[in-house]
Amino acid sequence: DFLFFWGAVFLVTTTLVALLKKENKELTQTKEETKGITDTYKLLFSIIKMPAVLTFCLLILTAKVGFSAADAVTGLKLVEEGVPKEHLALLAVPMVPLQIILPLIISKYTAGPQPLNTFYKAMPFRLLLGLQFAFLVWWTPKVKHEGGFPVYYYAVVLLSYALHQITLYSMYVAIMAFNAKVSDPLIGGTYMTLLNTVSNLGGNWPSTVALWLVDPLTVKECAGAQNQTCGTALAAEV
């Protein structure tokens, strides 16, 4: 029902935009340098070869390694420790207003000449929240009882997620503001797409690697089976 409702809303609103919104013909459009797919990729390659862009791409590709495990694995570990998935999903609902308000607040601090200052300031707090998430995973089985989890536990999880959202959006909005600021207006779409794609990739590949490393780095102990190790997936299954 949820997906059907919002699907209908999207169809109606986009159709109304297509029918009712007219382009302003009086404005002189800035002509972009690109003419086709081949020219676009040649242009992208020439942009990447610029020393400043290459350095920046290397930085944003590696900047999120420090908190990739905390971001990708925490929720899965909480579910593994017995927290119901539907309860974690419900905790995402109070985050929605926060996710709407945060960019509005943060944009005031990223509108100046140095938008990445917000990115730098948020990074140590996001790294510290990684330790806090590790503590949360360790603490979860200790507060579990037969009826589930106490209310104060969910309050701590909600607060942790809220603080995480603040640091996450501070870094996200700062990067977006910087990309918009440094992109050449003549090829703005191509330039910004490149930088934003690299930024997204910089967040996705560390999370993928973190998830892949969970199993080999997890220490398992066998209960009730002497002289039996659980170091490998096959041994754990036995």
Side-chain angles (χ1 to χ4, degrees), residues 4-103:
F4 179 81
F5 173 78
W6 286 111
V9 170
F10 271 104
L11 284 172
V12 171
T13 52
T14 50
T15 304
L16 288 173
V17 169
L19 295 175
L20 303 177
K21 179 64 179 172
K22 303 299 180 185
E23 295 291 342
N24 192 344
K25 301 294 183 182
E26 295 177 5
L27 293 176
T28 55
Q29 295 181 349
T30 306
K31 188 179 179 183
E32 291 196 356
E33 291 182 1
T34 55
K35 294 180 180 179
I37 294 174
T38 307
D39 290 336
T40 302
Y41 277 101
K42 285 180 180 177
L43 183 60
L44 284 174
F45 188 67
S46 64
I47 293 170
I48 291 173
K49 286 195 297 183
M50 295 165 63
V53 175
L54 189 61
T55 304
F56 179 63
C57 287
L58 288 172
L59 286 171
I60 58 177
L61 277 172
T62 55
K64 298 177 183 177
V65 171
F67 30 77
S68 58
D71 289 2
V73 184
T74 301
L76 298 174
K77 282 295 177 184
L78 292 180
V79 171
E80 189 179 283
E81 295 293 350
V83 181
K85 284 183 281 189
E86 57 271 22
H87 289 182
L88 285 178
L90 279 174
L91 290 178
V93 175
M95 294 294 108
V96 174
L98 189 66
Q99 290 167 352
I100 296 171
I101 295 167
L102 278 174

Side-chain angles (χ1 to χ4, degrees), residues 61-207:
L61 277 172
T62 55
K64 298 177 183 177
V65 171
F67 30 77
S68 58
D71 289 2
V73 184
T74 301
L76 298 174
K77 282 295 177 184
L78 292 180
V79 171
E80 189 179 283
E81 295 293 350
V83 181
K85 284 183 281 189
E86 57 271 22
H87 289 182
L88 285 178
L90 279 174
L91 290 178
V93 175
M95 294 294 108
V96 174
L98 189 66
Q99 290 167 352
I100 296 171
I101 295 167
L102 278 174
L104 297 173
I105 298 171
I106 297 164
S107 60
K108 295 178 182 178
Y109 300 97
T110 58
Q114 296 179 315
L116 281 184
N117 280 352
T118 306
F119 183 93
Y120 299 144
K121 290 174 182 176
M123 181 172 277
F125 293 102
R126 194 168 172 187
L127 288 169
L128 287 172
L129 279 171
L131 294 175
Q132 200 269 335
F133 278 167
F135 169 78
L136 191 64
V137 172
W138 171 83
W139 184 53
T140 297
K142 299 185 183 304
V143 294
K144 186 180 181 182
H145 52 73
E146 290 183 3
F149 293 88
V151 176
Y152 67 83
Y153 170 78
Y154 289 110
V156 171
V157 174
L158 186 63
L159 179 62
S160 301
Y161 277 4
L163 292 172
H164 178 259
Q165 289 292 313
I166 293 171
T167 57
L168 186 151
Y169 272 86
S170 295
M171 297 179 72
Y172 174 77
V173 174
I175 281 286
M176 293 297 117
F178 180 79
N179 291 347
K181 192 174 184 64
V182 300
S183 298
D184 187 346
L186 190 63
I187 49 171
T190 306
Y191 213 123
M192 276 198 69
T193 301
L194 171 67
L195 295 179
N196 290 342
T197 300
V198 174
S199 180
N200 291 333
L201 184 61
N204 289 333
W205 80 260
S207 297

